């Protein structure tokens, strides 16, 4: 009698862990399939932000993976100037999620050898909350992330 009871328990555990493994495998497959679409969406967000803050200046060229845990809150893109007469041939954009008074917002930072790091603006349309984002409270957070941009670019392998 105890032998059949153990077989029944083992069967139930096997079904449970098989279901758990199957759902995990399915989740991983969906994450891998959505990765390209997610990157294209981020690139479009960066391009929209550039068109708003620096019209007709840059075009998003390619995305760079970050070899760090900061990659969950940041993305790095190479930018190419639209005007071929510029001396800056490669500019990088770091899209970094930063805390603000209205919640986390994606901030855009540009880096070039010539000009260093500069804050461009937020990659979202804040509407009526725009004055809150541009208040003095966020200046220290922005300056902190400006100092972190070269390290993020190093972890992305572009510096």
């Amino acid at each position: 009698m105890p032998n059949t009871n153990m077989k029944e328990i083992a069967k139930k555990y096997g079904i449970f862990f098989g279901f758990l493994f199957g759902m995990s495998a399915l989740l991983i497959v969906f994450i891998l399939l959505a990765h390209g679409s997610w990157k294209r969406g981020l690139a479009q967000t960066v391009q929209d932000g550039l068109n708003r803050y620096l019209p007709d200046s840059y075009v998003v060229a390619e995305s760079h993976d970050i070899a760090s845990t900061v990659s969950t809150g940041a993305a790095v893109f190479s930018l190419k100037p639209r005007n071929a007469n510029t001396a800056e041939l490669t500019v990088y954009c770091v899209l970094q999620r930063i805390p603000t008074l209205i919640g986390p917002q994606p901030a855009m930072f540009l880096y070039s050898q010539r000009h260093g790091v500069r804050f461009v603006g937020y990659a979202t349309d804040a509407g009526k909350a725009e004055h809150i984002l541009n208040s003095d409270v966020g200046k220290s957070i922005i300056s902190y992330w400006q100092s972190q941009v070269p390290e993020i670019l190093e972890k992305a392998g572009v510096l």
Side-chain angles (χ1 to χ4, degrees):
M1 187 80 168
N3 201 11
T4 57
N5 192 17
M6 287 300 290
K7 286 182 181 179
E8 191 66 30
I9 291 173
K11 183 178 176 184
K12 286 182 182 180
Y13 274 108
I15 290 171
F16 172 74
F17 283 112
F19 178 74
L20 191 64
F21 177 76
M23 291 301 291
S24 298
L26 190 63
L27 182 63
I28 289 170
V29 166
F30 283 135
I31 288 171
L32 293 175
L33 289 175
H35 186 71
S37 175
W38 177 70
K39 289 278 189 180
R40 284 189 299 276
L42 279 179
Q44 185 60 47
T45 299
V46 169
Q47 188 63 56
D48 292 344
L50 290 171
N51 292 342
R52 182 176 37 223
Y53 294 110
L54 304 168
D56 299 324
S57 58
Y58 299 104
V59 176
V60 176
E62 66 178 303
S63 172
H64 300 279
D65 291 330
I66 302 171
S68 171
T69 56
V70 78
S71 65
T72 59
V76 176
F77 295 92
S78 294
L79 305 178
K80 296 293 179 192
R82 288 186 193 227
N83 184 1
N85 297 333
T86 61
E88 294 289 339
L89 295 179
T90 304
V91 177
Y92 298 102
C93 178
V94 174
L95 188 66
Q96 175 65 48
R97 184 175 50 219
I98 63 172
T100 66
L101 291 174
I102 61 171
Q105 295 295 317
M108 294 174 40
F109 298 94
L110 292 186
Y111 174 84
S112 66
Q113 290 286 344
R114 184 186 205 182
H115 299 291
V117 180
R118 67 183 171 129
F119 173 69
V120 177
Y122 295 96
T124 58
D125 184 17
K128 293 180 180 179
E130 191 76 34
H131 70 283
I132 295 172
L133 288 176
N134 295 326
S135 69
D136 290 338
V137 176
K139 301 281 191 239
S140 62
I141 295 170
I142 289 171
S143 65
Y144 169 77
W145 282 107
Q146 275 181 316
S147 69
Q148 296 300 308
V149 165
E151 185 178 335
I152 293 170
L153 291 172
E154 283 178 16
K155 290 181 180 178
V158 295
L159 285 188

